[in-house]
Amino acid sequence: MTALGHKKRKNRTSDADPDAPRKKKEKLKQDAGKPCTKPSPSEFRVTKATITLSVPPVFASNLRAGVEEMLDSMIMRYIPSLCGVLLAHSNLHFLSPTVSINADCPFAICNVTFDATVWSPSIAMKLVGKIILYSPDHVSLLLHRTFNVSIPRHHIPQDVWEFEYGPAENDPEYGEGAVASSIVEEEDGGMKDGDGEKVEGEAVPEASGQWVHRVTGTKLGGTDGYLEFTVIGKTVANEMLSLQGSIQPDPFSEEHSQSGKSSRKKRAK
């Protein structure tokens, strides 16, 4: 069976590229399987990826459409072989003018290569996110309005910042007003209060409290809520990538790690 379907038979030489050297094809497959050991200078990168797909028989007359649909389903998911989240794909090519169907399985086995746009931040990289939640234990941010970042308490300089609790919900003087005026971020990036009025400047609701500067009283993140942090860890769950950050001047020091703190407590006892 041809890899491009009956309608694409005339153009299959350009897509399959059968005249390309075999060594080049083998190199593409090897590069796709290599772990990401070399950090990228940017959190976004475009790389040549090679993948083997089992295309359902419903796309037997147009395998290209089937492959593109399967690649579309991988967008915004963490792909281990790419060491990052696939954001877009382009320049799809079949590595062979034909595909294989094994035994009685109706799925077509296709080897394809494409250009993958990947979000793959490196450890120690400095990024800027928008604060969406203040908590005594951590600060939550959104990166590019999409990816989650968490800065735990022990990675916030305690000698510079302190958590200031907001009014209690059952406080007769402040509680009802605080709930009514809580600020919500809309999908378009605008801010609205509980009455639906647009709010300028404030990024997150303050009813539960906020991190403030010990001397100046300035809110962490300022009026716009944007904060620069250092990437210290990554977590992959449900094919989604989230980051752990730090705003410590020396984020990788042992004294900021939870294991280092627990060991010091044991020695103190």
Side-chain angles (χ1 to χ4, degrees):
M1 180 181 292
T2 60
L4 304 180
H6 301 298
K7 296 182 180 179
K8 299 292 184 176
R9 183 181 296 271
K10 294 182 180 180
N11 299 326
R12 69 181 185 181
T13 53
S14 59
D15 289 329
D17 194 13
D19 297 329
R22 181 176 299 177
K23 292 183 179 180
K24 184 176 181 180
K25 295 181 182 179
E26 293 176 352
K27 185 177 185 297
L28 288 175
K29 293 181 180 180
Q30 292 173 0
D31 290 344
K34 286 183 178 179
C36 299
T37 57
K38 185 178 180 181
S40 173
S42 172
E43 57 180 312
F44 299 98
R45 58 185 174 85
V46 178
T47 183
K48 182 70 70 174
T50 300
I51 191 172
T52 301
L53 297 173
S54 298
V55 183
V58 67
F59 297 105
S61 61
N62 192 350
L63 292 178
R64 172 175 287 274
V67 170
E68 289 181 346
E69 184 170 316
M70 296 183 73
L71 292 179
D72 287 344
S73 67
M74 298 167 60
I75 291 179
M76 296 307 299
R77 295 185 180 183
Y78 180 83
I79 309 300
S81 60
L82 298 177
C83 298
V85 178
L86 179 64
L87 302 179
H89 61 86
S90 59
N91 298 328
L92 173 65
H93 295 284
F94 287 84
L95 293 179
S96 173
T98 60
V99 298
S100 61
I101 297 179
N102 299 327
D104 58 349
C105 179
F107 286 74
I109 309 301
C110 303
N111 294 317
V112 299
T113 180
F114 60 96
D115 292 334
T117 303
V118 183
W119 179 67
S120 180
S122 303
I123 301 297
M125 183 177 288
K126 289 187 177 295
L127 302 173
V128 177
K130 187 173 184 179
I131 298 175
I132 58 172
L133 175 67
Y134 294 107
S135 166
D137 297 327
H138 71 284
V139 174
S140 296
L141 301 89
L142 268 186
L143 192 60
H144 309 302
R145 299 178 62 182
T146 303
F147 305 105
N148 292 315
V149 182
S150 177
I151 301 178
R153 180 185 182 91
H154 55 276
H155 277 282
I156 302 174
Q158 302 297 308
D159 57 340
V160 179
W161 304 95
E162 64 177 347
F163 189 79
E164 183 181 81
Y165 287 89
E169 292 186 6
N170 58 355
D171 192 306
E173 183 176 357
Y174 301 102
E176 184 177 352
V179 174
S181 61
S182 61
I183 300 169
V184 179
E185 184 174 5
E186 299 295 308
E187 293 182 358
D188 59 359
M191 310 301 297
K192 291 185 179 181
D193 60 17
D195 300 325
E197 299 293 332
K198 289 187 177 181
V199 179
E200 300 293 338
E202 297 293 345
V204 292
E206 300 177 2
S208 60
Q210 58 187 339
W211 285 87
V212 298
H213 197 278
R214 288 182 176 271
V215 177
T216 64
T218 306
K219 181 174 62 175
L220 182 66
T223 57
D224 59 0
Y226 286 96
L227 180 65
E228 183 181 63
F229 64 94
T230 303
V231 180
I232 60 172
K234 305 180 191 180
T235 301
V236 179
N238 298 324
E239 298 182 317
M240 292 298 296
L241 175 63
S242 59
L243 303 179
Q244 292 84 49
S246 173
I247 58 174
Q248 294 280 8
D250 51 347
F252 298 100
S253 174
E254 180 66 22
E255 63 177 325
H256 302 319
S257 65
Q258 291 180 332
S259 59
K261 285 190 173 184
S262 60
S263 62
R264 286 196 299 274
K265 288 181 180 179
K266 290 180 180 179
R267 289 196 298 267
K269 290 180 181 181

